[in-house]
Structures are given as C-alpha cells and as structure tokens.
Amino acid sequence: MLEKNIRIASDAEIVDEAIMSRRSVRAFLPDMVDDDTIRAILAVAARAPSGTNMQPWRAYVTKGEVKQRISDAILNSGIRAEKAEWDEYRYYPDQFFEPYLTRRRANGFGLYGALGIGRREVDRMRAQHDRNFVFFDAPVGMIFTIDRRLNQGSWIDYGMFLQNIMVAARGRGLHTCPQAAFAPYHRQIRPVLGIPDEEIVVCGMALGYEDTAKPENDFRTDRAPLEDWVTFTE
C-alpha cells in the first residue's frame, strides 16, 4: 500500500506540474518541433472526452511558407483587430461586468506592463496584439475548426481537447499560446488552408520552445481562490 501511495503521489506531482506550468507564452525560439512530436501531442490530446465520442475537432498544422501566408493574409488585410468582425461565434460578452471586467483589465495591464507599454501607447498595444498573427514567432502554428452544424456541447468537448494539447506539450518541454484572435479572420485563413465553408475557425495555437529572454514571458496571471467560486455541500 505504501508503494502504491508513493507512486500515486509521484504521478500526481508530474501531472500537476504539467498543468501548473502551462501558460500563454508570447515569444518563441525559432527551434523547430519535429512532426513526430506534434503527431504524438495531437494523438494524446484526442483522448479528450466528447459526447457519444463524436470527436468534433479538426486541426491544421502549419510551418514555414504556409504559416507565413496566413500571417501575411491577415496583416495585409487592412482589418484592424478592433474592427474585425466576430461573425462566426462570439467569444466575449458585448458588455463586460464584474468580476470579469477587473480580471480582464488586470491581464491586459500586466502584460503591457511587462513590456513597458503605457496605457495610452495605443500603437504599441496594437503592434503587440498583431504578434498573435505571426504566432508569436513560434515555428508551429495550428488552426482549429469545428463543423458549424454541431452544438454547444461539442464546443465544451473542444475545450478539453485544446487543454490536452497544451498539457501534453508541457510534458515534452514545449509551450503554447491558444489564440482566439484568429477566429475573426476566417475569410483570410480559409483560402490558404482550404478550409471548407461548413467549418468554423475556432482558434489558433502557437507551439514551440519558450524564449526566456523576452520580458513578455515573465508575466504571470493569478487565479481566484477557491473560496470565491466553489460551494461544498453535504
């Protein structure tokens, strides 16, 4: 029994470390990630649960010239992020309210503060946001889609799949950044990747090795204490 408990504790430590060390990295090294590693991550991630095992996810893995074409198509579109139309699905509410407004502001101020960007430096803020569209220089950029005929339950399943990717990446010394910012630019992305009309662009994701020398990667978000959002009953 003692040996079993030691093994359980060791396994828990490994899993917890993968989860706790996962964060949105916004600057990557150019070091390439080999296809076998990417395939292994996606295969493990696909063990995510889904209602009646529908497995609603579809992934487009891009590197090199194709990844650059996605970046160029978005950055040359002339559509600023604040003007981009969320016409496929809505990620955020039309009006933020508490406690979500305070959390959102803390996230933005914290990131820009790490970069030395002042609250009124709009051009620098926009330039940083545009870094999304080069996948923060990660060597691998992934675009995820879902069949538009599926319903909200499949979107819940999709979130678990995406989390699995990010945790599996950590287990291999890699980092990620999930990026909803790609969703409003589905018209620019579709022709590059040949995405059919029946698929909605859910998000993008950068994958690679963290550039620890960049200040944006020093930023850490916090989490609300359990007492703020958990109710225990007996």
Side-chain angles (χ1 to χ4, degrees):
M1 180 62 70
L2 177 61
E3 182 178 340
K4 179 181 179 181
N5 289 339
I6 292 173
R7 186 176 70 252
I8 290 173
S10 176
D11 290 348
E13 184 177 355
I14 293 169
V15 174
D16 288 355
E17 173 59 22
I19 295 171
M20 294 294 290
S21 65
R22 185 225 60 83
R23 54 192 170 82
S24 294
V25 163
R26 295 180 174 88
F28 290 84
L29 297 170
D31 305 26
M32 186 50 68
V33 181
D34 64 86
D35 286 350
D36 286 344
T37 298
I38 299 170
R39 289 177 182 275
I41 289 171
L42 293 175
V44 168
R47 296 304 305 175
S50 60
T52 63
N53 198 32
M54 290 196 298
Q55 306 170 60
W57 37 80
R58 182 168 177 80
Y60 297 81
V61 180
T62 73
K63 299 179 181 180
E65 189 266 339
V66 174
K67 182 167 70 73
Q68 185 62 52
R69 284 172 56 200
I70 293 173
S71 301
D72 292 343
I74 295 173
L75 294 173
N76 295 334
S77 68
I79 304 172
R80 297 279 344 148
E82 62 270 21
K83 299 293 184 181
E85 187 178 0
W86 287 80
D87 58 344
E88 294 278 64
Y89 77 95
R90 302 290 295 180
Y91 195 100
Y92 297 112
D94 293 331
Q95 187 71 40
F96 282 94
F97 50 94
E98 296 300 342
Y100 313 108
L101 177 61
T102 295
R103 293 172 184 171
R104 174 180 170 83
R105 285 175 171 169
N107 184 72
F109 293 153
L111 174 60
Y112 292 137
L115 288 162
I117 299 175
R119 297 187 181 186
R120 296 183 179 179
E121 294 184 277
V122 177
D123 288 344
R124 292 187 66 195
M125 289 182 182
R126 285 175 172 170
Q128 175 59 29
H129 188 272
D130 282 350
R131 298 257 308 136
N132 273 283
F133 306 125
V134 296
F135 295 94
F136 297 110
D137 296 327
V140 180
M142 295 183 282
I143 298 293
F144 297 95
T145 67
I146 188 171
D147 192 305
R148 68 176 65 252
R149 295 168 294 182
L150 295 176
N151 218 321
Q152 289 174 318
S154 291
W155 287 74
I156 295 172
D157 299 340
Y158 217 118
M160 292 185 279
F161 165 69
L162 293 173
Q163 174 74 359
N164 273 1
I165 292 175
M166 293 182 277
V167 173
R170 288 303 303 124
R172 292 162 174 80
L174 296 161
H175 272 285
T176 56
C177 185
Q179 299 165 275
F182 283 98
Y185 293 92
H186 61 92
R187 291 182 180 83
Q188 287 71 40
I189 299 170
R190 287 182 189 281
V192 177
L193 297 180
I195 298 174
D197 290 340
E198 63 265 24
E199 294 178 21
I200 295 175
V201 173
V202 176
C203 66
M205 186 182 293
L207 172 70
Y209 295 95
E210 177 188 9
D211 186 344
T212 58
K214 295 298 178 67
E216 54 265 51
N217 286 337
D218 291 333
F219 172 59
R220 300 290 187 276
T221 56
D222 60 10
R223 294 294 185 271
L226 265 63
E227 292 73 19
D228 285 5
W229 53 273
V230 177
T231 300
F232 287 93
T233 62
E234 292 186 8

